[in-house]
Amino acid sequence: MLKDRLPTLQKLILQLQSVPYLATKNVYRVALHFLEKDEQSLDAFCKVLLEAKKNIRQCALCFNWHEGGQSCSICADGSRNKGIVCVVETWHDLLAMEKSGGYDGVYHVLGGSLCPLEGIGPEDLTIEQLITRVTSGAVQEIIFATNPTPEGEASASFIASKLKGMSIKISKLASGVPIGSTIEYMDRVTLYKALCGRRPF
Amino acid sequence: MLKDRLPTLQKLILQLQSVPYLATKNVYRVALHFLEKDEQSLDAFCKVLLEAKKNIRQCALCFNWHEGGQSCSICADGSRNKGIVCVVETWHDLLAMEKSGGYDGVYHVLGGSLCPLEGIGPEDLTIEQLITRVTSGAVQEIIFATNPTPEGEASASFIASKLKGMSIKISKLASGVPIGSTIEYMDRVTLYKALCGRRPF
């Protein structure tokens, strides 16, 4: 019915359906939200969208998002230790690490994790660029901050195997009981990891 | 941090935060989805959005969405009975009524329901236009298909009180047990309504 009577709306619906995290049942409501906006604010929305696409780029070195200049604010920051590289899966992970306030090195954003079932192989991530970065000689330590999931662990293992024989320190984030949680409800693998990784009090 | 380093992204985030049904925790992911799209598809997205805004209008008579022509496809359809007007709250309700396949009259979309707590009064809905439509003389019957909620019922009552004294039939959708449901799990008000409105077998 829509296709015949409202072809433009149908096109808008198709576009909105490609937006992730937008439930299918809400796509029509969002379309109406845009139709009910006045023309000026809709223009502003599109302008910001295109401006963001134009201005925001990935850092050529660490693949963090940035705007203006050649490299991202972290890579360009003179006070950061360029010898330590923290390897994260996504930009959100980078933001989370930054919020922890405990890190003064630089980053490398992989752009995801290895997942053969979904067809994501090493060539889909920035692993090659990381290896090049390490072989160029400026890196002394790699810290893996990939997710403690099978995919994240596999990505870290794969990269570690590629870095074998190079004279750099390789470490990964400690696994254990998260702060503020209760031991009672913790899963057994986490408790086992926390026990194995126990530290002097 | 974002504000200083990525001002354009911050602007995009602000725009996306105004989109309904998009969870706050997903706004950053949606922003990255747009950044990761190529420029062409982003242009296409904006083009469709602005085209929809330009082409799609509300019918001057029934406030249904339509594109092209002066009135919507239902009002313009010669085979529909213009004497019967089904009053619905939203366009989605109109679509649902159309899908039922049992209605050959026309519609009137109120644009919501009366809700004093949220500051929605009669002047925010298309009630005035409905009254004008009825007083113009072409309408013989009004069917209320507002939601069976306090707001929907109040809207129907309010409109009915305004139409008092005019020689038109006023009815509302039957309340009762929905098809495919189980009596056991039905709420008592629905069962009471179904009992009151029982019909000869």
Side-chain angles (χ1 to χ4, degrees):
Chain A
M1 172 193 151
L2 266 185
K3 231 175 170 174
D4 309 330
R5 298 193 192 166
L6 293 159
T8 320
L9 184 62
Q10 188 61 22
K11 273 199 267 177
L12 179 58
I13 296 292
L14 274 176
Q15 286 284 357
L16 289 176
Q17 273 169 348
S18 74
V19 176
Y21 305 102
L22 193 59
T24 309
K25 60 171 181 160
N26 291 332
V27 162
Y28 278 89
R29 292 166 203 273
V30 172
L32 287 196
H33 157 81
F34 282 118
L35 288 182
E36 279 159 5
K37 267 186 158 191
D38 61 81
E39 216 152 317
Q40 274 181 322
S41 37
L42 211 57
D43 275 335
F45 179 85
C46 290
K47 215 185 121 203
V48 164
L49 203 58
L50 296 172
E51 197 184 325
K53 177 69 196 170
K54 214 181 106 199
N55 291 358
I56 303 172
R57 284 201 197 79
Q58 281 191 302
C59 174
L61 195 63
C62 74
F63 299 92
N64 177 17
W65 291 102
H66 76 106
E67 55 180 298
Q70 279 304 304
S71 53
C72 77
S73 55
I74 296 174
C75 288
D77 186 343
S79 69
R80 309 286 297 224
N81 184 346
K82 305 290 188 302
I84 309 180
V85 176
C86 177
V87 178
V88 291
E89 291 181 22
T90 65
W91 182 63
H92 298 101
D93 299 338
L94 184 154
L95 289 185
M97 288 298 295
E98 278 295 278
K99 270 190 203 152
S100 79
Y103 184 63
D104 73 339
V106 290
Y107 291 91
H108 192 90
V109 182
L110 290 177
S113 54
L114 293 177
C115 186
L117 284 178
E118 288 181 21
I120 304 174
E123 63 285 356
D124 299 310
L125 308 177
T126 61
I127 293 178
E128 201 54 49
Q129 290 90 330
L130 176 61
I131 309 290
T132 314
R133 209 172 153 185
V134 174
T135 45
S136 76
V139 180
Q140 286 104 44
E141 185 175 352
I142 292 274
I143 303 169
F144 286 116
T146 52
N147 288 328
T149 56
E151 292 82 9
E153 304 272 12
S155 308
S157 296
F158 179 81
I159 298 169
S161 74
K162 289 273 175 185
L163 296 174
K164 225 176 195 171
M166 296 191 196
S167 59
I168 51 163
K169 271 204 283 186
I170 300 180
S171 60
K172 61 174 257 181
L173 291 191
S175 296
V177 184
I179 305 303
S181 63
T182 43
I183 301 287
E184 183 183 355
Y185 297 115
M186 203 46 54
D187 67 292
R188 62 195 177 90
V189 181
T190 302
L191 279 182
Y192 178 79
K193 291 268 185 183
L195 196 64
C196 292
R198 67 189 179 279
R199 300 178 56 178
F201 193 74
Chain B
M1 173 194 151
L2 267 186
K3 230 174 170 174
D4 309 330
R5 297 191 192 166
L6 293 159
T8 320
L9 184 61
Q10 187 61 22
K11 274 199 268 177
L12 179 58
I13 297 292
L14 274 176
Q15 286 284 357
L16 289 176
Q17 273 168 350
S18 74
V19 175
Y21 305 102
L22 195 58
T24 310
K25 60 171 181 161
N26 291 331
V27 162
Y28 278 90
R29 293 167 203 273
V30 172
L32 287 197
H33 158 81
F34 282 118
L35 289 182
E36 280 160 5
K37 267 186 160 191
D38 61 81
E39 217 152 317
Q40 276 180 320
S41 37
L42 211 57
D43 274 335
F45 179 85
C46 289
K47 214 184 122 205
V48 165
L49 202 57
L50 296 172
E51 197 183 325
K53 176 69 195 169
K54 213 182 106 200
N55 290 358
I56 303 171
R57 287 201 197 79
Q58 282 190 302
C59 175
L61 194 64
C62 73
F63 299 92
N64 177 16
W65 291 102
H66 76 105
E67 54 181 301
Q70 279 302 307
S71 53
C72 77
S73 55
I74 295 174
C75 287
D77 186 342
S79 69
R80 310 285 297 223
N81 185 346
K82 304 290 187 301
I84 309 178
V85 176
C86 177
V87 178
V88 291
E89 291 182 23
T90 66
W91 182 62
H92 297 101
D93 299 337
L94 184 154
L95 289 185
M97 287 298 294
E98 278 295 278
K99 269 189 203 152
S100 79
Y103 184 62
D104 75 338
V106 291
Y107 292 92
H108 192 92
V109 182
L110 289 177
S113 54
L114 292 176
C115 186
L117 284 178
E118 288 180 20
I120 303 173
E123 63 285 354
D124 299 311
L125 308 177
T126 60
I127 293 178
E128 200 54 48
Q129 290 89 332
L130 176 60
I131 309 292
T132 314
R133 209 172 153 186
V134 174
T135 46
S136 77
V139 179
Q140 286 104 44
E141 184 175 353
I142 292 275
I143 303 169
F144 285 117
T146 52
N147 289 328
T149 56
E151 292 82 8
E153 304 272 13
S155 308
S157 297
F158 179 81
I159 297 169
S161 74
K162 290 271 176 189
L163 296 174
K164 226 175 194 170
M166 297 190 197
S167 60
I168 50 164
K169 270 205 283 184
I170 301 182
S171 60
K172 60 175 257 181
L173 291 191
S175 297
V177 183
I179 305 303
S181 63
T182 43
I183 300 288
E184 183 183 355
Y185 296 117
M186 203 45 55
D187 67 290
R188 64 194 177 89
V189 181
T190 302
L191 279 184
Y192 178 79
K193 292 269 187 185
L195 197 63
C196 291
R198 66 189 179 278
R199 298 177 57 177
F201 193 76

